[in-house]
Amino acid sequence: MPAESRLPDDVDPGTCAAFRDVLDRVGSKWAIAIIAAASDGPIRFAELHRAIPGISRRMLTLTLRALERDGLLVRTVHPTVPPQVEYAVTPLAEELFASTRALSDWAANNHEKVAAARAAYDGGEAADR
């Protein structure tokens, strides 16, 4: 007996794969932090690096490239010596950042409940499941 799909009839499985791909990008460890840091206006690489504790220069570079590729950031090179490079969010990233604020608010309001649930689960209270 084949497993039935849990997807609504109007949802194409290919669309779900594309949806997951986008969520994987924006849900990465650093993407939203970079977008948040750049949301107040153009920002240089060194400023971004200082604004995001714990990110390596290499990971910052890789994530910036991915966000630029996805249309979430614009990279501008100013013709100076040495060249100055700035990153700015696009309207698409501004929309994403606004959407993540609701999730951030939820996390801020519920992190203690989640921590308590984890502690209860880890303490064996979920052993009957």
Side-chain angles (χ1 to χ4, degrees):
M1 179 174 186
E4 289 188 36
S5 174
R6 296 180 127 190
L7 296 174
D9 292 336
D10 62 343
V11 175
D12 173 43
T15 302
C16 288
F19 179 73
R20 280 191 311 271
D21 179 54
V22 171
L23 284 181
D24 285 346
R25 169 76 70 230
V26 300
S28 72
K29 184 174 182 178
W30 303 110
I32 297 300
I34 291 170
I35 291 169
S39 67
D40 289 332
I43 189 167
R44 294 179 62 190
F45 182 91
E47 293 172 304
L48 272 170
H49 191 246
R50 283 191 299 272
I52 303 170
I55 192 168
S56 69
R57 295 177 68 82
R58 171 107 172 106
M59 184 53 64
L60 179 57
T61 298
L62 292 173
T63 308
L64 287 169
R65 285 181 188 158
L67 292 171
E68 184 180 8
R69 179 177 181 247
D70 289 344
L72 297 169
L73 289 180
V74 174
R75 180 179 185 260
T76 304
V77 180
H78 298 282
T80 60
V81 178
Q84 290 185 358
V85 179
E86 290 181 330
Y87 296 90
V89 296
T90 65
L92 188 61
E94 288 174 353
E95 183 181 349
L96 170 64
F97 187 54
S99 297
T100 62
R101 287 182 185 262
L103 181 58
S104 296
D105 290 344
W106 180 89
N109 292 331
N110 291 290
H111 74 276
E112 290 176 1
K113 292 175 188 171
V114 171
R118 287 177 181 168
Y121 185 92
D122 293 346
E125 293 180 27
D128 296 332
R129 293 180 195 177

